[in-house]
Amino acid sequence: MFEAIFLGALQGLTEFLPISSSAHIRIAGELFGTNSDPGATFTAITQIGTELAVLIYFRRDIVRIISAWFGQVSRKQLQAAEKADARLGWLIILGTLPIVALGYFGQEIIRNDFRSLWLIATTLIVFGIILGIADKYGKTERQLHQLTPVHGVLYGFAQSLALIPGVSRSGATIAMGRFMGYSREAALRYSFLLALPAVFGSGLYELNGALGESASERVFSLPETFVATAIAFVTGYAVIAWLLKYVTTKSFAPFILYRIALGSLLILLLSLGVIS
C-alpha cells in the first residue's frame, strides 16, 4: 500500500509536467526492488485519476465544447462562439484517432518492449532536447482558436509518441505545438483536452481487463490501485493549477534540464549494473 500511495502521488506530480509520468512510475518501481515494474495496467488506471482532475479543472470548457458539438450534430443554429467550440470538439476527436489506432494494434509491444529502461533513458534525453529546441525557436503567434485540422492531426501523432515511456504526452504535444507556432499556454491547454478521450479510454479498457485477472496476476491489488488513483487525482489537480500559471511567464528549460539529467543518471546506473 505504501508503494501504491507513493506511485499515485508520483503519477499526479509528473503526468502534466513534460517529464513523462510513465517513465517515473517505471523507474520508481525498479528502485523499490520488490515490484520491479508496476506494469502498463497500473499506469493506465492511475492515469484515470489525473484525467479526472483535468475534467474537473476544465469542466466549464468541456461542457461548452460538448454542448456545442452535440448542437452542431443535431443541426441546431449556433452562434459564432459555439461554432468555434464545436469545431474544437471535432479537432479533439480527429487528434485522438492516431493514439487509439496505434495503442490498440501495438498493445503487446507497449506492454513488453517499451518497458525497457534503456529505451526510457534514451527517450528522456532525446525528447528533452527536442522540446528544448521547439520551446526556444518556436514562434508564439497562434492561439487555440486558430487550430486547423492538419495541426489537430499532427498534435494527435505527437500524442501517440507518448505510448513510449519517457517521451511524455504533454512534452510531445507541447513540442509539436511550439514547432507549429502556438503559445505555451495554448499548446498546454490543447494537450490537456486532447488527452481526455485517449487516457480515459485506455484506463477504462485496462480496468476492465484488471477486473478479470486473478489476484496473483496483478502487481498491485485493486484496492491499492484505486488508492493510488485517488492520490493521483488530488496531486494532479494541484499541478494543473500551478503549471498553467507557470507557463505564462516562464519557459520549459528546468524540465528539459531535468529530463537530460535523469536520463543520463539512468544510463549510468544501468551501465554500472545498479539496476537492470
Side-chain angles (χ1 to χ4, degrees), residues 2-264:
F2 170 77
E3 287 185 39
I5 291 171
F6 178 83
L7 292 173
L10 186 63
Q11 167 66 30
L13 287 170
T14 58
E15 171 67 18
F16 304 116
L17 302 179
I19 56 177
S20 180
S21 61
S22 56
H24 281 75
I25 296 294
R26 174 70 178 91
I27 295 167
E30 183 70 33
L31 294 177
F32 272 128
T34 53
N35 295 325
S36 62
D37 185 357
T41 297
F42 176 86
T43 303
I45 294 174
T46 53
Q47 282 178 333
I48 293 177
T50 49
E51 291 312 307
L52 279 174
V54 175
L55 200 62
I56 293 175
Y57 192 90
F58 292 101
R59 59 190 180 278
R60 293 186 180 87
D61 293 346
I62 293 167
V63 168
R64 197 178 65 245
I65 292 168
I66 292 174
S67 176
W69 185 85
F70 275 110
Q72 190 175 70
V73 170
S74 62
R75 300 184 181 281
K76 178 184 174 182
Q77 190 67 33
L78 301 179
Q79 302 295 325
E82 292 175 316
K83 288 180 180 178
D85 286 332
R87 182 170 173 276
L88 184 56
W90 283 112
L91 290 174
I92 290 171
I93 293 172
L94 186 65
T96 302
L97 296 178
I99 196 170
V100 170
L102 292 171
Y104 180 78
F105 291 109
Q107 287 183 61
E108 289 305 313
I109 297 176
I110 294 167
R111 288 177 180 277
N112 300 307
D113 299 348
F114 284 0
R115 308 301 291 177
S116 163
L117 287 175
W118 284 103
L119 176 63
I120 289 172
T122 303
T123 53
L124 279 169
I125 296 171
V126 171
F127 281 90
I129 294 170
I130 291 172
L131 176 60
I133 294 170
D135 194 43
K136 181 174 178 60
Y137 296 104
K139 297 179 180 178
T140 307
E141 56 188 19
R142 292 191 176 98
Q143 297 302 320
L144 204 51
H145 68 274
Q146 296 172 290
L147 190 66
T148 67
V150 172
H151 287 177
V153 172
L154 290 174
Y155 263 117
F157 276 111
Q159 178 180 238
S160 65
L161 292 174
L163 293 170
I164 307 171
V167 171
S168 168
R169 185 188 313 279
S170 61
T173 51
I174 289 167
M176 180 61 75
R178 297 292 288 137
F179 275 127
M180 295 187 298
Y182 289 87
S183 69
R184 292 189 184 100
E185 187 177 3
L188 186 61
R189 279 181 174 273
Y190 189 62
S191 172
F192 287 148
L193 295 173
L194 185 61
L196 280 170
V199 174
F200 268 121
S202 171
L204 293 174
Y205 177 84
E206 295 288 359
L207 178 59
N208 181 61
L211 291 173
E213 293 177 345
S214 64
S216 61
E217 292 179 291
R218 305 184 191 119
V219 177
F220 290 98
S221 68
L222 286 179
E224 290 168 342
T225 302
F226 289 146
V227 168
T229 302
I231 296 292
F233 163 76
V234 174
T235 52
Y237 190 92
V239 170
I240 293 171
W242 173 80
L243 187 58
L244 282 170
K245 292 180 181 178
Y246 175 87
V247 298
T248 57
T249 57
K250 295 179 175 64
S251 75
F252 293 108
F255 306 115
I256 294 160
L257 294 174
Y258 173 77
R259 287 180 63 108
I260 294 172
L262 179 60
S264 301

